[in-house]
Amino acid sequence: MIICGIELKSNYAILSVLKNSLIDDIIDYVDLKIKKITLEDDENKENIELFFKQINEFFEVNNIDKVVIKKRAKKGNFAGGAVTFKIEGLIQLSSLCKVELVSSQTLSSFEKRNNINFPSNLKKYQEQSYICALSSFCK
């Protein structure tokens, strides 16, 4: 199974892809060239269509079976911005793979219960998306 973890920030989706082998059940980080996809202008229809096309191409080219998105708060001090909710909706519209949302609390709990060793080639900004994908494997 190949899972893509996504964290949404500002106007982009941060991506981390993990793959497990059914033979030995080892989970590996897949170091891809594309690590984030940006929605340039969320008020421009062509840019929204381009983002949707790019994210779906990413899912298709990398044979993504499942996407796990880190949820953002809808209200309060740490509420997500309007653009991130628009991006989340576009990703959820993908018919290429299953899409799930996971809360920050669930990810924090998972991180506390498990000793997570990040791959050396994982960028610092990808850590939350990596944890999203990893938590889905460890359910």
Side-chain angles (χ1 to χ4, degrees):
M1 176 174 269
I2 302 174
I3 296 178
C4 178
I6 298 179
E7 180 184 22
L8 303 175
K9 290 241 180 178
S10 182
N11 64 333
Y12 53 91
I14 301 169
L15 313 165
S16 292
V17 176
L18 298 179
K19 178 180 186 177
N20 81 327
S21 166
L22 296 175
I23 298 166
D24 54 13
D25 208 31
I26 293 175
I27 300 168
D28 292 314
Y29 167 66
V30 182
D31 191 14
L32 299 171
K33 183 178 178 184
I34 296 174
K35 296 184 183 352
K36 57 180 154 177
I37 299 176
T38 304
L39 173 57
E40 292 300 334
D41 178 3
D42 72 300
E43 295 180 9
N44 181 302
K45 181 182 184 224
E46 287 79 25
N47 286 337
I48 292 170
E49 289 172 342
L50 177 62
F51 178 87
F52 186 69
K53 180 180 178 235
Q54 288 174 329
I55 201 82
N56 279 299
E57 281 178 2
F58 179 85
F59 296 156
E60 187 171 14
V61 167
N62 296 294
N63 300 310
I64 304 298
D65 298 307
K66 182 177 171 183
V67 172
V68 182
I69 303 172
K70 179 182 178 184
K71 275 199 256 185
R72 285 118 21 265
K74 293 181 181 170
K75 54 187 172 181
N77 289 342
F78 300 103
V83 178
T84 59
F85 288 107
K86 190 178 280 191
I87 292 172
E88 180 182 275
L90 290 169
I91 295 170
Q92 286 178 306
L93 287 173
S94 178
S95 60
L96 299 172
C97 50
K98 182 178 178 184
V99 178
E100 289 182 1
L101 301 175
V102 63
S103 72
S104 298
Q105 295 85 349
T106 301
L107 293 177
S108 292
S109 175
F110 173 77
E111 200 170 359
K112 287 176 186 170
R113 285 191 323 267
N114 297 279
N115 183 20
I116 298 172
N117 295 314
F118 295 105
S120 60
N121 50 351
L122 184 80
K123 304 289 185 201
K124 181 78 173 156
Y125 67 84
Q126 289 179 282
E127 287 181 358
Q128 287 298 302
S129 60
Y130 177 84
I131 293 169
C132 279
L134 188 61
S135 70
S136 187
F137 274 114
C138 299
K139 280 186 176 178

